[in-house]
Amino acid sequence: NRCLGPILVEVSALVKEGVPLETLDKAMKKFGMPVGPITLIDEVGVDVAAKVSTFLSDADLGVRMGGGDLSLMTNMVEKGWLGRKSNQGFYTYAGKKGKTIGSEVTAYLKEFTGGKVSNLSEKDIQDRIASRLVNEAAKCLEDDIIENPVAGDIGLVFGIGFAPFKGGPFRYLDAVGVSSYVDRMNGFVDTLGEQFEPCQLLKDYATSGKKFHG
């Protein structure tokens, strides 16, 4: 849950900026996630996602859990839009017809975003969402909540569906390079805020050139 919280917050920030729901889902599926974040919220329940993200944002975990607008989901819960289980979440579910984005949700999102429409690049979407999770995973390792990178990779791939073909967040960091990833996050700090501040463990690995595996 602690690694899922920052993802939910960042998704709310991206929606607030006017990134279309389908664009978010498509971007993260291309990144390698089994399902996109909007579909994930609908599947676990908008009420559950709202409760988890609100709890973590209110916990004493610092700015890493901030940076979004969780009223996106809490307002939906008040409307009874709980996701697939109520046949209405971000998507409307109608039996074999699959899922669509209905007129009520479209109107709600227009109000929530103030009519903004973002053309943010697929890479920016992927990096903003993934970096929030990766940073929290590294912070959990730093805090001895995760025993080691192997356990962290296995737990996050099988627990919350981190892109399986990337091998987990720590394998992913080794592949892209911790130093370049920290630089990418620092760029987000400059433009978006301190919720993207890399944890000390990532900074240390970036400076030393050390890898999480081997």
Side-chain angles (χ1 to χ4, degrees):
N1 284 354
R2 183 166 147 181
C3 289
L4 189 59
I7 294 179
L8 297 172
V9 173
E10 191 58 31
V11 167
S12 75
L14 288 160
V15 173
K16 185 82 170 180
E17 290 172 25
V19 179
L21 304 182
E22 305 102 313
T23 301
L24 289 170
D25 270 355
K26 286 177 184 174
M28 295 317 293
K29 283 196 74 176
K30 280 192 179 180
F31 180 80
M33 299 296 196
V35 298
I38 300 300
T39 297
L40 177 66
I41 293 169
D42 269 4
E43 293 291 342
V44 302
V46 179
D47 52 337
V48 175
K51 188 173 183 179
V52 168
S53 53
T54 301
F55 174 79
L56 289 170
S57 292
D58 291 341
D60 188 22
L61 294 172
V63 295
R64 299 188 319 282
M65 297 294 164
D69 184 349
L70 298 178
S71 70
L72 170 68
M73 291 178 286
T74 55
N75 289 341
M76 289 174 66
V77 173
E78 289 176 8
K79 293 174 182 289
W81 299 351
L82 306 182
R84 182 182 282 277
K85 62 188 173 186
S86 67
N87 294 319
Q88 179 64 66
F90 286 104
Y91 294 107
T92 302
Y93 298 87
K96 294 179 180 178
K97 293 181 180 179
K99 60 188 183 185
T100 57
I101 296 176
S103 57
E104 283 187 289
V105 171
T106 300
Y108 169 64
L109 292 176
K110 187 174 183 180
E111 181 182 357
F112 180 75
T113 62
K116 294 192 294 290
V117 178
S118 171
N119 60 354
L120 195 67
S121 74
E122 183 173 88
K123 178 81 165 101
D124 280 346
I125 293 168
Q126 292 169 341
D127 286 352
R128 281 178 59 175
I129 293 175
S131 68
R132 298 292 299 267
L133 183 156
V134 167
N135 192 44
E136 196 57 36
K139 181 62 177 170
C140 286
L141 182 62
E142 179 183 307
D143 291 346
D144 294 323
I145 294 169
I146 293 174
E147 186 177 357
N148 54 57
V150 173
D153 282 340
I154 293 170
L156 286 163
V157 167
F158 289 101
I160 64 173
F162 184 86
F165 294 108
K166 295 193 186 319
F170 299 106
R171 290 276 181 202
Y172 175 60
L173 280 167
D174 284 350
V176 299
V178 180
S179 180
S180 62
Y181 208 72
V182 165
D183 287 345
R184 179 72 163 147
M185 291 186 68
N186 283 332
F188 287 145
V189 173
D190 292 340
T191 57
L192 298 166
E194 58 186 344
Q195 66 270 23
F196 286 95
E197 180 75 27
C199 70
Q200 190 59 48
L201 185 66
L202 285 183
K203 293 177 182 177
D204 292 345
Y205 273 56
T207 301
S208 68
K210 188 177 177 183
K211 288 192 169 190
F212 287 100
H213 295 280

